[in-house]
Amino acid sequence: MKVILPDGSERALADGATGADLVNALGGRWAKKAVAVDVDGQVQDLAARLPEGAKVKLVDAESAEGLELLRHSAAHVMAEAILKVIPGTRLAIGPAIADGFYYDVEAPRRITPEDFPALEEEMQRIIKADVAFVRSERPRAEAVQKAELSGDKYKAELIRDLPEGTAISFYRSGDFEDLCRGPHLPSTRWVKAVKLLSVAGAYWRGDSKRQQLQRIYGTAFTDRKKLDEHLRLLEEAKKRDHRELGKQLDLFSTDEQIGPGLILWHPRLAMVRRTIEEFWWAEHYRRGYWPVYTPHIASEQIYRTSGHLENYAEMMYAPMDIDGAPYRVKPMNCPAHIKIYQTARRSYRELPLRYAELGTVYRYEPSGTLHGMLRVRGFTQDDAHIFCTPEQLAGEIEGVLDLVDTLMRAFGYTYRTFLATMPPKHLGTEEEWGRATEALRVALDRRGLAYEVDEGGGAFYAPKIDIKLLDSLNREWQGPTIQVDLNLPKRFRVEYVGADNAPHEVIMVHRAVLGSLERFIGGLVEHFGGAFPVWLAPVQVRVATLAERHAEAAAKVVAELRAGGLRVDEDCGAEKLGYKVREWSLAKLPYLAVLGDKEIAEGVVALRSRARGDEGKVTVSDFIARAQREIREKTIEAKKED
RNA sequence: GCUGCAGUAGCUCAGCCGGUAGAGCACGUCCUUGGUAAGGACGAGGUCCUGGGUUCAAGUCCCAGCUGCAGCUCCA
């Protein structure tokens, strides 16, 4: 028999050959890293027979697919260990997830992290034993019966719910057998480095009305080093948690008397926000946007017209009675922008119109989802709506993509771009969707932007471009979004007069680059670990005195730095210099300018920078020039290990 | 919202079996006037989340609420 390799060449194998035979035939490095085989686009066990003429590709343990297999197999190993260590446990489901795996179980007692060492030890034993994962299939009735006999009610339910005609497969490794679609690693020894991370409650099938199970999370890698690196990143992420840094650096708080999910911006973080806002506005003015302001509350009527009240009511704050009429705190800015547009009869000659607002909105998010600044109930959107003609659409999208790139670069984010297309449930005609989606595609192509298509991932009212940010810890964040709204122009009858002197429905683009300032800036805190680059830092330079007699000279230097446009504070207390350096360092400020007798005599400061440490003497004017350049260029200094 | 856990000084936390609350840092005053990651002494600071209950007695035990944290989506 023959199979076709990825390079297009054919490979002859003995009849009935398996993936493992292919590995042997190819030999060399594959023997060390092949864990499965991709047969015509389907990943299968190495033990599976290869069909004649199939296109085959071996799956590297290090690849995304390989890691997923490895983690899924690790979940099985963990399940086996749990059954051994905590007898009487019933297994529910145990998939691989983004950075690891979990298994949901119903255990006779509470499982805690104290159980992890024993579980991990048992897992190591299983891994060392190097037992093969062996697939078998069983008829439905037999499978259900077997599951019920052994008391595996969750497995029994899963099997019953599998669609008629699907193969019901099991994987056995040693004494342990689990219902599983597969595929799996060839044997347990491939699960090289594994670690259990946490345990939490989870509902059977995600349904809060059903049995609550215990979910044990873990992760696995192909070797110890990679696992350690992953654990280090987790550690680092914890240290950078914006809620912790928010307290340490005095950035923000919430208050019980004010309410959950409502952020108090302290002076330092408010300064960061102002700096971002000013930059944001400057970039918008350059691109022909106009500022608008709209009220925080509005009569319910507008949300009836917009449809928000119909589809979105449980996410809105309750109405308040204003002179007998129900009013709402605004959950969106768009309806108000439309109202501004509609105050005049618009000609195609004045389009595109670009309205921008940093509009604060309030949404009644479920209490359990609130999370620091990242998930809140009151937040400011960097919202803008572009009203244009169909012919202008692609060009406008291009303009937004350019804006996105400028802003994201300034913060040091790289990003990935997705084109999200029509979902199964949608408003509007396929033709409208086609035209709008095409315009997005054209804009992406014209900018030469690589993108992935998220088939069916659009909002029900809009195809969109979604951009995901990659931060300094390689974590993904929800980033800019650009949507072609196919709903509101109709609901509000938003029109312009065309060259033909007839009314036409306007094209409305809804776009946010930063998203919510709360979420974005909360994310920035983590991205920079609280150490904002010079252009963003709330205090760019601190002036510290060596002794109290230098205070007067310090005041002069502070004034000079302020006159040079820098954000400055001073530390003229009676503490020793070492103490002040430590304080400055913990505050994560970019520069410290020290003044003692020598500096005053020479008319300089002794400069210390976050990036390079003690830099020696510089004149104030030289320092101002340097800081100004870094601000202008939005320099992000290389990280210094601390 | 649901489940579990937590809430003690501004912050981080200790407080045993129920017997009227403690440390470090921060803060204030004083001494020290110093050269690149914590100088010293003294002091002030508490509705122990809120409200009920049990008890001679509650930070501690019970109930309810509030707030926070984790999870509840990533298809056997």
Side-chain angles (χ1 to χ4, degrees), chain A residues 468-510:
Chain A
K468 290 187 178 157
L469 307 180
L470 270 180
D471 77 3
S472 58
L473 293 183
N474 247 341
R475 297 175 301 175
E476 262 193 359
W477 297 78
Q478 167 88 22
T481 180
I482 307 167
Q483 311 179 350
V484 183
D485 196 315
L486 300 176
N487 176 37
L488 291 179
K490 280 195 188 58
R491 293 194 81 113
F492 281 92
R493 296 178 51 92
V494 190
E495 298 176 334
Y496 65 93
V497 178
D500 56 1
N501 196 30
H504 299 272
E505 188 175 297
V506 82
I507 302 289
M508 181 175 172
V509 177
H510 174 105

Side-chain angles (χ1 to χ4, degrees), chain A residues 238-383:
Chain A
K238 216 169 167 185
K239 271 204 307 215
R240 288 176 175 229
D241 188 314
H242 75 285
R243 293 165 302 180
E244 294 303 316
L245 289 171
K247 256 187 268 187
Q248 284 163 27
L249 302 177
D250 190 18
L251 301 177
F252 75 96
S253 59
T254 55
D255 183 274
E256 271 194 40
Q257 290 196 28
I258 288 175
L262 302 169
I263 303 297
L264 299 170
W265 295 71
H266 296 199
R268 288 171 179 259
L269 198 61
M271 186 61 87
V272 173
R273 172 169 165 173
R274 288 293 309 164
T275 305
I276 291 171
E277 289 180 359
E278 280 158 24
F279 171 52
W280 187 90
W281 278 117
E283 291 299 326
H284 280 72
Y285 295 153
R286 278 178 34 171
R287 290 173 172 79
Y289 286 80
W290 284 93
V292 294
Y293 291 97
T294 62
H296 287 82
I297 62 169
S299 156
E300 256 189 30
Q301 288 183 50
I302 193 159
Y303 301 115
R304 284 193 203 292
T305 305
S306 70
H308 288 122
L309 216 48
E310 234 173 283
N311 300 306
Y312 205 70
E314 72 286 358
M315 292 293 279
M316 289 167 72
Y317 274 94
M320 55 195 126
D321 185 293
I322 310 283
D323 297 337
Y327 275 62
R328 296 279 190 156
V329 170
K330 77 169 160 183
M332 300 260 183
N333 300 306
C334 1
H337 289 192
I338 289 174
K339 285 298 179 184
I340 294 174
Y341 177 94
Q342 290 183 314
T343 54
R345 191 138 173 94
R346 304 292 177 181
S347 154
Y348 72 98
R349 292 173 181 277
E350 59 182 313
L351 300 185
L353 277 172
R354 310 182 187 97
Y355 295 161
E357 177 177 17
L358 293 169
T360 304
V361 297
Y362 293 87
R363 297 181 188 171
Y364 185 64
E365 298 282 344
S367 60
T369 62
L370 301 177
H371 183 89
M373 298 184 78
L374 301 183
R375 194 74 184 264
V376 293
R377 285 181 171 166
F379 56 97
T380 301
Q381 284 181 312
D382 75 312
D383 211 354

Side-chain angles (χ1 to χ4, degrees), chain A residues 78-290:
Chain A
M78 180 172 77
E80 183 178 351
I82 292 172
L83 291 180
K84 180 99 177 263
V85 175
I86 306 169
T89 300
R90 303 270 175 249
L91 302 176
I93 64 169
I97 52 173
D99 280 317
F101 60 87
Y102 66 78
Y103 218 115
D104 283 350
V105 303
E106 182 191 324
R109 66 172 174 84
R110 188 152 196 85
I111 298 172
T112 70
E114 273 101 76
D115 292 310
F116 290 174
L119 289 172
E120 283 171 344
E121 198 176 308
E122 180 59 22
M123 289 175 74
Q124 285 307 330
R125 196 192 58 74
I126 296 165
I127 291 166
K128 283 219 187 73
D130 191 24
V131 287
F133 285 99
V134 183
R135 181 188 175 95
S136 62
E137 291 186 13
R138 233 167 260 155
R140 174 178 303 259
E142 188 190 326
V144 172
Q145 196 190 23
K146 185 174 181 297
E148 279 178 344
L149 273 178
S150 58
D152 281 318
K153 54 184 175 185
Y154 299 107
K155 296 294 178 190
E157 183 178 328
L158 288 171
I159 298 166
R160 269 196 223 96
D161 287 354
L162 286 175
E164 211 58 58
T166 31
I168 296 171
S169 55
F170 293 79
Y171 277 78
R172 169 175 291 282
S173 47
D175 298 333
F176 175 68
E177 188 177 58
D178 195 5
L179 171 72
C180 183
R181 188 177 52 182
H184 270 284
L185 300 172
S187 68
T188 56
R189 85 177 153 85
W190 289 89
V191 184
K192 293 245 168 66
V194 63
K195 172 104 181 135
L196 303 189
L197 296 174
S198 62
V199 55
Y203 298 101
W204 172 231
R205 302 201 140 176
D207 183 347
S208 59
K209 287 185 195 64
R210 305 194 63 175
Q211 175 73 39
Q212 174 140 29
L213 306 169
Q214 301 193 69
R215 173 171 296 180
I216 300 134
Y217 284 94
T219 191
F221 285 85
T222 49
D223 67 65
R224 186 81 223 172
K225 258 199 196 136
K226 295 212 173 64
L227 173 63
D228 288 343
E229 172 62 13
H230 178 75
L231 295 177
R232 197 189 65 76
L233 280 179
L234 286 181
E235 241 351 85
E236 182 64 26
K238 216 169 167 185
K239 271 204 307 215
R240 288 176 175 229
D241 188 314
H242 75 285
R243 293 165 302 180
E244 294 303 316
L245 289 171
K247 256 187 268 187
Q248 284 163 27
L249 302 177
D250 190 18
L251 301 177
F252 75 96
S253 59
T254 55
D255 183 274
E256 271 194 40
Q257 290 196 28
I258 288 175
L262 302 169
I263 303 297
L264 299 170
W265 295 71
H266 296 199
R268 288 171 179 259
L269 198 61
M271 186 61 87
V272 173
R273 172 169 165 173
R274 288 293 309 164
T275 305
I276 291 171
E277 289 180 359
E278 280 158 24
F279 171 52
W280 187 90
W281 278 117
E283 291 299 326
H284 280 72
Y285 295 153
R286 278 178 34 171
R287 290 173 172 79
Y289 286 80
W290 284 93

Side-chain angles (χ1 to χ4, degrees), chain A residues 549-570:
Chain A
R549 65 174 176 281
H550 306 127
E552 207 174 311
K556 275 195 201 122
V557 170
V558 167
E560 252 182 285
L561 292 168
R562 288 221 171 100
L566 299 182
R567 295 188 288 267
V568 191
D569 73 1
E570 56 186 320

Side-chain angles (χ1 to χ4, degrees), chain A residues 59 226 270 336 393 434 576 642:
Chain A
V59 174
K226 295 212 173 64
L393 179 57
K576 291 209 210 180
D642 50 354

Side-chain angles (χ1 to χ4, degrees), chain A residues 276 279-280 283-284 287 289 356-358 380-384 386 399-409 411 413 415 465-469 477-483 510-517 519-520:
Chain A
I276 291 171
F279 171 52
W280 187 90
E283 291 299 326
H284 280 72
R287 290 173 172 79
Y289 286 80
E357 177 177 17
L358 293 169
T380 301
Q381 284 181 312
D382 75 312
D383 211 354
I386 299 171
V400 176
L401 290 172
D402 180 67
L403 174 67
V404 163
D405 192 64
T406 303
L407 292 182
M408 292 308 115
R409 256 172 216 284
F411 297 106
Y413 283 120
Y415 56 87
I465 294 172
D466 275 327
I467 290 170
K468 290 187 178 157
L469 307 180
W477 297 78
Q478 167 88 22
T481 180
I482 307 167
Q483 311 179 350
H510 174 105
R511 41 110 299 186
V513 184
L514 310 179
S516 121
L517 291 180
R519 178 191 288 243
F520 185 78

